[in-house]
Amino acid sequence: MTDLLSSGLIFLLLCASAIIGSLVAARLPERHRTRETIDFTRLVTGLLVTFTALVTSLLITSVNSSFEKTEQDLRGYSSQLIRLTGCLENLGAGTVPIRTSLRAYTASALASTWPEETPPSGQYPKADSQEDEFDAGNLGELLLHIQSQLQRVAVSSPEDSSIRASCLVRLDRVLDQRWVLIDEAKSAITIPFYDMLAGWLVIVFFSFGLSAPRNELAAVFVFLVAVAVAGAFFVILELDGPLDGLVKVSSEPMRHALRHIDRSLATTPAKG
């Protein structure tokens, strides 16, 4: 919603700058309306438009690449959760409590990161963070609790000891990948950069108002261009936050991992 409001503000600023430019043009002295002045203004505006378009294009490419990388890393995270579950299953029924905790973590991460979707069934803790769901403190503590549980699992043979060591390595990879996702969920572009780009566009639309003919068709075209530019800003802002907003990475990889954990729990009888 914040991204939508920011894009709406950009739209209003662009329209306002065009209107101000039109009002200023109507009051300019005749010496500022010469052909040489108009041509020079269009030349400078054309240069700024080209530069702004180039920067915007590079910005969209950058945030889109970041978004796709987060999608790829989330699929890798899901794969690591599935492999960890399989490793725990190989240790036998004694790891059912650990897999139950892992299931609770996965379900909680799903429910908090994609609250607009149908939440997973069962009991699981609610994330204690509203902004960076993967960074929620209680979810991190739950993974550390799983690590502690795994370290205390009794083994009766060298083979089981080797499997437990492999599970601990896989859990370490899950912890590391979680921090990668936390880092990627944060905005990679600073607010001053957005403000600077918005400032360039305000200047461009002000120049549109100065040179545009005063009729309804010109006003409609300026309005449509402002909508298109605000839409581009919205896409950039949304892609820059791949785990929040209206446009976010798919939850399917995490749901796939959750289904795999549920199957593992369903096919392994409780110890005792």
Side-chain angles (χ1 to χ4, degrees):
M1 187 60 69
T2 301
D3 295 340
L4 191 60
L5 291 175
S6 298
S7 302
L9 179 60
I10 290 293
F11 169 75
L12 293 177
L13 283 174
L14 298 182
C15 289
S17 62
I19 292 172
I20 293 172
S22 180
L23 294 175
V24 169
R27 291 166 174 76
L28 283 176
E30 190 62 33
R31 63 191 178 88
H32 293 304
R33 301 183 187 180
T34 62
R35 173 58 59 185
E36 292 79 7
T37 302
I38 293 175
D39 290 342
F40 176 76
T41 302
R42 288 176 176 173
L43 177 63
V44 174
T45 302
L47 178 62
L48 184 56
V49 167
T50 302
F51 191 63
T52 303
L54 177 61
V55 172
T56 304
S57 175
L58 292 174
L59 188 59
I60 291 176
T61 301
S62 175
V63 295
N64 185 61
S65 297
S66 177
F67 188 89
E68 291 177 349
K69 186 177 185 303
T70 302
E71 280 188 317
Q72 180 180 354
D73 288 342
L74 186 65
R75 288 194 294 268
Y77 191 59
S78 167
S79 176
Q80 289 170 0
L81 288 172
I82 291 173
R83 291 175 180 176
L84 174 60
T85 302
C87 187
L88 292 171
E89 191 173 357
N90 289 336
L91 272 178
T95 62
V96 167
I98 302 177
R99 280 179 276 157
T100 301
S101 297
L102 188 62
R103 198 260 179 206
Y105 165 78
T106 306
S108 182
L110 261 169
S112 58
T113 307
W114 293 272
E116 70 281 357
E117 299 182 6
T118 303
S121 61
Q123 298 294 322
Y124 46 85
K126 182 179 179 181
D128 58 12
S129 170
Q130 297 298 318
E131 295 183 359
D132 300 310
E133 290 80 5
F134 272 90
D135 197 14
N138 61 330
L139 295 188
E141 291 172 0
L142 183 54
L143 283 178
L144 293 177
H145 176 65
I146 291 172
Q147 186 179 50
S148 177
Q149 285 180 297
L150 182 55
Q151 289 171 341
R152 294 196 303 268
V153 169
V155 293
S156 57
S157 68
E159 181 181 359
D160 286 346
S161 179
S162 177
I163 294 174
R164 184 180 65 176
S166 178
C167 291
L168 286 170
V169 170
R170 294 188 183 279
L171 180 56
D172 283 338
R173 291 174 181 169
V174 168
L175 290 167
D176 291 341
Q177 188 67 13
R178 172 176 176 265
W179 283 110
V180 170
L181 289 170
I182 290 172
D183 184 62
E184 290 177 345
K186 294 178 172 58
S187 175
I189 304 172
T190 60
I191 295 300
F193 185 84
Y194 282 121
D195 294 342
M196 180 184 68
L197 187 58
W200 294 348
L201 289 167
V202 165
I203 295 173
V204 169
F205 273 74
F206 178 79
S207 70
F208 288 169
L210 283 176
S211 59
R214 290 160 184 78
N215 57 56
E216 291 80 3
L217 183 59
V220 168
F221 269 92
V222 170
F223 172 83
L224 292 177
V225 173
V227 170
V229 171
F233 256 83
F234 175 74
V235 170
I236 291 171
L237 291 170
E238 284 291 301
L239 292 179
D240 196 33
L243 291 177
D244 56 46
L246 299 177
V247 180
K248 59 172 66 174
V249 298
S250 173
S251 66
E252 184 54 33
M254 292 294 289
R255 293 189 182 278
H256 179 61
L258 184 64
R259 290 192 294 268
H260 188 90
I261 297 172
D262 284 339
R263 286 196 298 268
S264 173
L265 290 170
T267 57
T268 305
K271 188 175 181 179

